[in-house]
RNA sequence: GCCCCCAUCGUCUAGCGGCCUAGGACACCGGCCUUUCACGCCGGCAGCACGGGUUCGAAUCCCGUUGGGGGUGCCA
């Protein structure tokens, strides 16, 4: 299985951005190639001129690079091989393995409906002997009997009776080759040994095989059809309906290494059960034959968990460095630096940082209603607590965590926020102070936050809050 | 309709005939820790779709049923 000269490929179509399903397919190809010391090639399948665009090619390349999935050699652009694809198709025409057909899709459907049979092409033009024109497409003539099958590393033996495979289009009436032709031809031309792609390609595989056989192109060594990635409705992920763009995840503040780690877990799992681990170990343990055949739900919650783990594991300097693109400016970066370690273990995404450090920025603070209500309205002796805090904090000469803590503790006692033993109840007492100074009822540890805020701003905010009470 | 595929906790998975009174992770629910939140730790909830076989023995093999999905384009 471990052939040192294996050659795999990821062949996206630039008719959409790179989504997590594509990314997972790219990753599994990449893992197999890197583990075996084989090659990972990239091919752009742009035979649909109407829907392909260079912007989409850029999006795909950018996302692949972001994920760290590199490739070997030059990118193969299918449009560059049009001529070879056409010639191959025409050679089939010469052999009588293909024929011209002028049936438009509507006509095919209408006939199917009229005869009450199954939808799909019925071989209407097989014997009509049509000539090539700008209204005819070239169709491949599939065998009427026999079986076409293949061995799939994920699914075992899969076979189709040839009579169930309809004649399919090789060349459009415009002369442009169709996906199946270009795909099969280029796989052979590139010497692809392992065809690893989504399960949605299974029904097309016998056509692919029949074509390669007819063209005398041989067959790839291995097929592996990966399970679909599905949404909460257990339906195949849709670029249109589901939020699955890799670029979007990048923009939301996910770490590429976390994304890759999570993607590796969809349809595969290490036998020792250790899910979060270095890429090198994943490469080492990954086996195509261990991929699960059943569909997997893309669970953002779990992705977030894994991302948070990776975020916390970052050296604090790197955390700040990598957070920079997600911060609105140098001011935010400056304040983040003062309490980064406290923030780092509280965020799951880079985009969660800014709201958490916003209180350290200059300017007026408007506590959110829910927090105000919770601490100031429903809190115990909120007014007394704020008064006592102002008085106590004013006296603090060394504006550092411990003195601040001592002052708030003393304020709690004088404000009557105490337990049965008459001791300060910090968990209750900090509420009004926290909301007054940070605007929220949750956040980084309070005394550290106040130390970073500074005495003047702390007192200003406490007084402003007191005025509202 | 026809063809193909799939089926272990809510979710992702381990399991590849006895080690399984089914393990881990996410989520969820308790508790501990604690200046809020988060982290961490401890504990809990919860699953082999169903029915037949094969076998001394089945989550693991076979068949069927049911359910789900994919394909069925002059899209890829």
């Amino acid at each position: 299985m471990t052939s040192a000269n294996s050659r795999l490929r990821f062949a996206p179509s630039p008719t959409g951005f790179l989504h997590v399903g594509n990314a997972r397919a790219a990753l599994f190809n990449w893992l197999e190639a890197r583990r075996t010391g084989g090659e990972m090639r990239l091919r752009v399948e742009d035979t649909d001129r109407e829907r392909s665009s260079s912007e989409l090619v850029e999006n795909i390349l950018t996302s692949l690079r972001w994920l760290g999935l590199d490739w070997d050699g030059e990118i193969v652009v299918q449009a560059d091989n049009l001529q070879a694809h056409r010639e191959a198709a025409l050679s089939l025409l010469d052999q009588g393995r293909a024929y011209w057909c002028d049936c438009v899709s509507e006509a095919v459907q209408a006939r199917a409906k009229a005869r009450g049979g199954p939808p799909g092409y019925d071989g209407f033009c097989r014997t009509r002997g049509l000539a090539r024109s700008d209204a005819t497409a070239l169709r491949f003539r599939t065998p009427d009997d026999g079986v076409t099958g293949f061995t799939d590393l994920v699914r075992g033996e899969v076979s189709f009776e040839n009579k169930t495979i309809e004649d399919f289009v090789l060349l459009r009436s415009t002369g442009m080759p169709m996906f199946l032709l270009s795909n099969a031809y280029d796989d052979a031309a590139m010497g692809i040994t392992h065809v690893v792609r989504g399960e949605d390609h299974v029904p097309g595989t016998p056509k692919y095989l029949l074509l390669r056989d007819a063209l005398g192109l041989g067959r790839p060594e291995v097929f592996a059809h990966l399970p679909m990635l599905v949404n909460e409705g257990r339906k195949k992920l849709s670029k249109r309906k589901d939020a699955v763009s890799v670029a979007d995840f990048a923009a939301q503040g996910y770490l590429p290494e976390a994304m890759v780690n999570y993607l590796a877990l969809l349809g595969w799992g290490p036998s020792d059960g250790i899910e979060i681990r270095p890429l090198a170990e994943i490469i080492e343990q990954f086996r195509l034959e261990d991929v699960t055949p059943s569909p997997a739900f893309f669970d953002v919650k779990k992705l977030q968990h894994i991302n948070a783990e990776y975020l916390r594991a970052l050296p604090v300097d790197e955390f700040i460095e990598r957070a920079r693109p997600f911060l609105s400016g140098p001011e935010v970066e400056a304040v983040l630096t003062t309490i980064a370690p406290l923030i780092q273990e509280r965020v799951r995404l880079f985009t969660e940082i800014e709201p958490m450090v916003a209180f350290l920025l200059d300017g007026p603070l408007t506590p959110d209603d829910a927090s105000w209500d919770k601490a100031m309205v429903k809190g115990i002796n909120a007014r007394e607590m704020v008064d006592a805090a102002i008085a106590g904090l004013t006296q603090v000469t060394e504006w550092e965590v411990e003195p601040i803590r001592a002052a708030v503790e003393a304020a709690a006692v004088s404000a009557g926020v105490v337990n049965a033993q008459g001791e300060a109840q910090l968990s209750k007492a900090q509420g009004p102070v926290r909301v007054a100074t940070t605007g929220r009822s949750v956040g980084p540890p309070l005394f550290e936050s106040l130390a970073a805020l500074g005495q003047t701003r702390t007192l200003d905010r406490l007084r402003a809050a007191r005025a509202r009470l």
Side-chain angles (χ1 to χ4, degrees):
Chain A
M1 184 81 298
T2 309
S3 55
N5 51 6
S6 61
R7 180 130 73 200
L8 294 93
R9 49 72 164 178
F10 174 56
S13 168
T15 54
F17 47 75
L18 189 82
H19 65 82
V20 294
N22 302 143
R24 201 274 310 256
L27 172 64
F28 280 24
N29 271 284
W30 186 89
L31 288 172
E32 179 68 11
R34 294 298 174 246
R35 179 179 67 79
T36 59
E39 276 181 45
M40 169 70 178
R41 307 294 299 270
L42 183 63
R43 185 173 74 225
V44 177
E45 309 228 312
D46 56 351
T47 52
D48 184 343
R49 286 166 33 194
E50 313 284 293
R51 297 193 304 149
S52 296
S53 81
S54 56
E55 290 73 34
L56 260 10
V57 172
E58 276 315 305
N59 170 283
I60 291 167
L61 262 29
T62 300
S63 291
L64 247 20
R65 289 195 190 98
W66 178 72
L67 289 167
L69 301 181
D70 55 356
W71 54 87
D72 304 309
E74 294 296 306
I75 296 174
V76 173
V77 177
Q78 223 156 36
D80 293 344
N81 305 332
L82 289 187
Q83 207 43 49
H85 299 166
R86 280 195 191 111
E87 283 167 17
L90 262 13
S91 75
L92 257 18
L93 175 67
D94 295 341
Q95 297 168 48
R97 302 294 306 269
Y99 57 90
W100 297 109
C101 168
D102 65 356
C103 299
V104 293
S105 160
E106 295 72 45
V108 173
Q109 283 170 31
R111 277 202 304 276
K113 196 171 180 180
R115 68 171 184 273
Y121 188 66
D122 54 2
F124 187 73
C125 297
R126 269 193 170 196
T127 56
R128 292 178 67 205
L130 260 31
R132 196 247 179 284
S133 78
D134 60 7
T136 54
L138 188 68
R139 276 189 197 270
F140 182 72
R141 184 195 303 269
T142 58
D144 297 322
D145 41 43
V147 173
T148 301
F150 58 97
T151 303
D152 190 291
L153 243 35
V154 179
R155 279 146 231 286
E157 299 300 320
V158 182
S159 66
F160 297 77
E161 291 203 51
N162 291 337
K163 67 180 177 206
T164 66
I165 305 170
E166 61 196 49
D167 292 353
F168 56 94
V169 173
L170 257 19
L171 253 28
R172 297 170 165 87
S173 51
T174 59
M176 277 296 287
M178 290 286 287
F179 160 75
L180 237 13
L181 171 63
S182 295
N183 181 261
Y185 186 94
D186 282 346
D187 274 355
M190 292 166 70
I192 299 303
T193 58
H194 293 49
V195 174
V196 180
R197 53 202 334 185
E199 188 193 344
D200 46 347
H201 288 284
V202 169
T205 303
K207 293 177 180 173
Y208 171 102
L209 255 12
L210 251 15
L211 237 189
R212 282 186 60 152
D213 289 350
L215 256 14
L217 295 174
R219 295 185 170 198
E221 292 171 21
V222 170
F223 278 101
H225 287 96
L226 311 174
M228 251 35 262
L229 252 37
V230 299
N231 58 25
E232 38 284 87
R234 305 300 300 179
K235 297 266 200 274
K236 173 182 172 182
L237 247 29
S238 156
K239 281 179 275 206
R240 294 197 56 181
K241 290 179 287 189
D242 302 302
V244 289
S245 160
V246 170
D248 286 349
F249 282 103
Q252 283 167 40
Y254 285 92
L255 255 18
E257 55 268 46
M259 178 61 91
V260 165
N261 195 146
Y262 177 60
L263 251 19
L265 264 18
L266 294 176
W268 178 80
S271 53
D272 61 13
I274 300 173
E275 298 185 320
I276 298 179
R277 64 198 315 160
L279 222 208
E281 290 182 19
I282 293 176
I283 292 173
E284 190 181 322
Q285 295 201 23
F286 183 80
R287 295 289 184 286
L288 279 174
E289 50 268 55
D290 290 339
V291 171
T292 336
S294 48
F297 170 65
F298 186 85
D299 187 356
V300 179
K301 287 257 186 64
K302 184 149 182 171
L303 206 211
Q304 286 178 347
H305 168 79
I306 291 176
N307 200 65
E309 294 265 337
Y310 272 85
L311 232 35
R312 284 195 295 273
L314 251 29
V316 67
D317 290 349
E318 189 181 342
F319 172 75
I320 294 170
E321 185 60 31
R322 296 180 67 175
R324 184 169 291 138
F326 299 90
L327 305 177
S328 60
E331 301 77 20
V332 180
E333 189 188 329
V335 301
L336 168 62
T337 303
T338 65
I339 57 169
L342 300 176
I343 297 300
Q344 190 172 359
E345 61 179 10
R346 286 175 172 74
V347 295
R348 292 171 305 176
L349 309 173
F350 280 132
T351 45
E352 290 175 350
I353 295 175
E354 183 128 1
M356 217 170 266
V357 297
F359 76 94
L360 283 173
L361 263 16
D362 281 327
L365 190 72
T366 316
D368 72 82
D369 293 341
S371 294
W372 182 271
D373 187 62
K374 182 179 175 190
M376 300 301 202
V377 180
K378 296 189 175 125
I380 302 169
N381 301 349
R383 189 174 307 185
E384 291 78 357
M385 187 59 218
V386 173
D387 280 335
I390 292 170
L393 257 13
T394 304
Q395 304 303 314
V396 175
T397 51
E398 265 186 289
W399 193 253
E400 281 161 17
V401 176
E402 277 315 312
I404 294 170
R405 175 200 179 95
V408 172
E409 214 160 343
V413 173
S414 65
V417 186
V418 294
N419 61 17
Q421 285 72 47
E423 298 158 340
Q425 270 207 295
L426 274 186
S427 62
K428 297 277 195 321
Q430 61 136 0
V433 179
R434 176 181 289 282
V435 171
T437 55
T438 73
R440 302 173 67 186
S441 58
V442 298
L446 182 63
F447 311 128
E448 284 79 353
S449 296
L450 297 185
L453 228 203
Q455 191 165 23
T456 308
R457 288 190 295 173
T458 296
L459 290 169
D460 284 350
R461 288 182 181 177
L462 280 166
R463 290 190 192 101
R466 180 62 184 84
R468 267 186 73 183
L469 280 165

